[in-house]
Amino acid sequence: MREFTARNPRTGVHDWLGQALDPAEVGDVAARLRAGQATWESRGAASRLEVLRAFGQALRRHAEPIGQALEFDTGRRRIARLEIDSVIGSIEGWARIIAADTPPEWIQGRGLPSVRHTAAWKAYPLVGVVSPWNFPLLLGMIDAVPALLAGCAVLLKPSEVTPRFIAPVMAAVAEVPDLAAVLAIVAGDGVTGQALVDVADCICFTGSVATGRKVAVQAAGRLIPAYLELGGKDPLIVMEGADLEAATDAALRGSVLSTGQACQSIERIYVARPIHDAFLGRLVQKAEAARLNWPDIAAGEIGPIIFDRQADTLSAQIADAKAKGASVLTGGEIQTHGGGRWLRPTVLAGVTSDMAVMRDETFGPILPVVGFDTVEEAVALANDGEYGLSAAVFAATIEEAEAVGRRLEAGAISLNDAALTSIFYEAAKQGFKASGLGPSRMGEDGYRRFLRRQALIANTARPLLLVAFSEEGST
């Protein structure tokens, strides 16, 4: 094991010391989980669901220490508690998917009437999950829960930036012995994550495009599936005729909720020229009214920047934009409070496509606003770039917004709202372009991705004789 520390984002102090599993230890944990997987899969989905429900109850009993750990990990209180509630609620969401799952029927063959076939589903024995630091519990369990319900064992490694929640969650797991046999959450760094890819049968990764590419290459070398949820640079298009109050409300929330530290945050805003100035003025007013949750964690809307290096990225993007002619209308400076680093909502005007803030993932509360003259121009601007995670359109009607949304190259389009995938989990979607790889996390596909399809083919007549394929009589 190797020691590593974690930083408290509110104080800036590295006040947590832990040990990262080395590859041999990862292999030992994987072997233990594999030993329990066959029994787990044989229980059937309904029985596994009851175990997961018991886990949800255990999470509720341990909500206080888990919430406190997440609070120290992320510097947020309410969202930390919402993570716990979301995981517990997701179990019933997956229950509805399982309830709608009907056994496959035997299908009569067309070319050979005596042959019929059906399907069976076999779980991947061990699913490896590598999750990010922005929603430490939720974004690990978003893959782990459906994998477990499908019959897989799961080995989860959260980000080394936010490891405190592991111990209290594993205390909840320990109260459900049947689950403890097939679920482990381990602390570790990049070396641990690489080792995890080497022992899993299927890998789920949430994080940056750069690291996601490495995971995909490593998984491809082992011929195992890699399901990747990667970065975003989500655009918002605001059409003439849109409700400006609603549009600016959604733009602000969609950009700065969780301090913008979410892959589906709005990071580019394109506004029809006739309403550009009015939109911009109202957005600035609302951005200036947003409050830091400092010094009182129980007040305000803007938390600290969780990952210290991310603050440097935000500062560099703002500096680049200013150097190339952009204007900072509010915010714009990384602040230090209590040792933590903070950024107030930052509205930029006069931005251009060559600026880093318009091309690279921001992952912070920066709102660059650009005017457009035609719908074609807006669509082209929104589709420009390597990302295609999600997007948003505001218009006078849902129908008008939909017409524009269908032209965007992104996996989820919010209509007359923004970043709806952060609060609505039922709609299946995939990441386009560099924003992802593999089936949707949501809906039936989110469950089926952990199952391999097996064909059972039955012949009700006598098998064909070899002589039926004799060369005699061929021309």
Side-chain angles (χ1 to χ4, degrees):
M1 287 190 177
R2 301 171 308 284
E3 288 188 346
F4 70 102
T5 62
R7 171 182 171 274
N8 185 320
R10 293 187 71 83
T11 66
V13 176
H14 287 258
D15 56 7
W16 184 91
L17 177 66
Q19 294 183 316
L21 268 64
D22 61 31
E25 291 165 320
V26 172
D28 291 342
V29 176
R32 176 180 67 79
L33 297 176
R34 285 183 182 278
Q37 186 271 330
T39 300
W40 175 250
E41 184 176 8
S42 69
R43 298 177 66 126
S47 176
R48 293 192 295 270
L49 174 60
E50 290 310 307
V51 175
L52 266 294
R53 282 173 167 154
F55 174 53
Q57 294 168 1
L59 287 176
R60 189 74 72 193
R61 291 192 295 273
H62 289 261
E64 185 55 36
I66 295 171
Q68 187 173 65
L70 289 170
E71 183 177 311
F72 287 132
D73 274 334
T74 65
R76 311 180 296 223
R77 175 167 293 173
R78 183 172 185 180
I79 291 177
R81 271 61 179 183
L82 287 175
E83 284 196 62
I84 302 170
D85 292 340
S86 294
V87 170
I88 296 170
S90 77
I91 295 171
E92 293 308 314
W94 291 114
R96 290 190 289 272
I97 296 292
I98 293 171
D101 196 24
T102 57
E105 298 179 352
W106 284 93
I107 301 173
Q108 195 69 38
R110 296 177 182 176
L112 292 171
S114 65
V115 175
R116 58 185 182 174
H117 66 96
T118 189
W121 301 95
K122 300 291 185 182
Y124 287 101
L126 179 62
V127 171
V129 179
V130 180
S131 59
W133 48 261
N134 53 327
F135 294 93
L137 175 63
L138 177 61
L139 291 183
M141 290 298 167
I142 202 171
D143 293 315
V145 169
L148 289 162
L149 286 173
C152 312
V154 174
L155 178 51
L156 165 60
K157 188 206 84 70
S159 169
E160 60 269 35
V161 176
T162 51
R164 295 171 177 84
F165 78 99
I166 296 173
V169 171
M170 284 305 295
V173 172
E175 293 185 1
V176 189
D178 289 343
L179 184 62
V182 288
L183 171 63
I185 308 174
V186 300
D189 52 13
V191 173
T192 311
Q194 290 176 344
L196 178 52
V197 180
D198 279 338
V199 299
D201 302 301
C202 171
I203 192 75
C204 298
F205 172 81
T206 304
S208 71
V209 172
T211 305
R213 291 186 196 278
K214 295 176 183 178
V215 171
V217 169
Q218 187 180 352
R222 295 192 56 236
L223 298 179
I224 65 170
Y227 304 145
L228 311 178
E229 180 91 358
L230 306 178
K233 191 69 186 170
D234 289 6
L236 165 63
I237 295 175
V238 184
M239 305 289 292
E240 186 177 2
D243 182 332
L244 286 184
E245 284 301 310
T248 48
D249 283 343
L252 183 67
R253 189 207 75 241
S255 296
V256 310
L257 183 65
S258 304
T259 319
Q261 298 167 124
C263 54
Q264 79 286 343
S265 292
I266 296 298
E267 295 197 354
R268 298 176 288 153
I269 304 173
Y270 302 105
V271 184
R273 194 79 62 189
I275 61 171
H276 173 273
D277 291 350
F279 176 94
L280 191 60
R282 195 73 186 99
L283 181 64
V284 169
Q285 290 177 351
K286 292 178 179 180
E288 289 178 337
R291 303 163 297 160
L292 301 183
N293 72 343
W294 174 266
D296 183 3
I297 194 173
E301 300 82 31
I302 309 299
I305 299 164
I306 296 172
F307 189 25
D308 193 33
R309 291 209 302 265
Q310 193 62 31
D312 298 330
T313 297
L314 302 180
S315 183
Q317 287 194 4
I318 294 169
D320 174 75
K322 290 168 65 176
K324 293 175 180 176
S327 300
V328 177
L329 303 186
T330 187
E333 296 289 339
I334 301 295
Q335 301 178 2
T336 300
H337 298 287
R341 303 179 77 183
W342 311 69
L343 178 64
R344 294 184 181 276
T346 297
V347 179
L348 302 178
V351 292
T352 53
S353 296
D354 63 326
M355 297 175 182
V357 76
M358 294 300 287
R359 306 203 67 82
D360 301 336
E361 187 170 31
T362 296
F363 228 64
I366 301 178
L367 301 84
V369 181
V370 179
F372 68 84
D373 294 308
T374 66
V375 175
E376 289 69 26
E377 180 189 4
V379 169
L381 289 168
N383 287 338
D384 184 30
E386 67 171 324
Y387 298 103
L389 189 63
S390 45
V393 183
F394 252 94
T397 66
I398 292 291
E399 292 73 20
E400 184 184 358
E402 177 188 353
V404 176
R406 288 183 180 275
R407 299 170 63 182
L408 300 182
E409 297 170 359
I413 313 297
S414 299
L415 306 178
N416 281 4
D417 207 330
L420 283 176
T421 54
S422 65
I423 56 177
F424 182 80
Y425 308 121
E426 297 174 26
K429 59 94 178 177
Q430 293 175 263
F432 287 21
K433 298 189 279 190
S435 286
L437 182 68
S440 173
R441 282 175 158 176
M442 309 304 173
E444 183 180 344
D445 288 350
Y447 173 67
R448 287 283 189 207
R449 65 193 165 131
F450 297 115
L451 297 166
R452 298 160 294 173
R453 188 182 181 107
Q454 182 182 63
L456 302 173
I457 309 169
N459 184 12
T460 58
R462 289 183 58 83
L464 289 172
L465 299 176
L466 177 62
V467 71
F469 300 93
S470 173
E471 295 292 348
E472 296 176 9
S474 62
T475 58

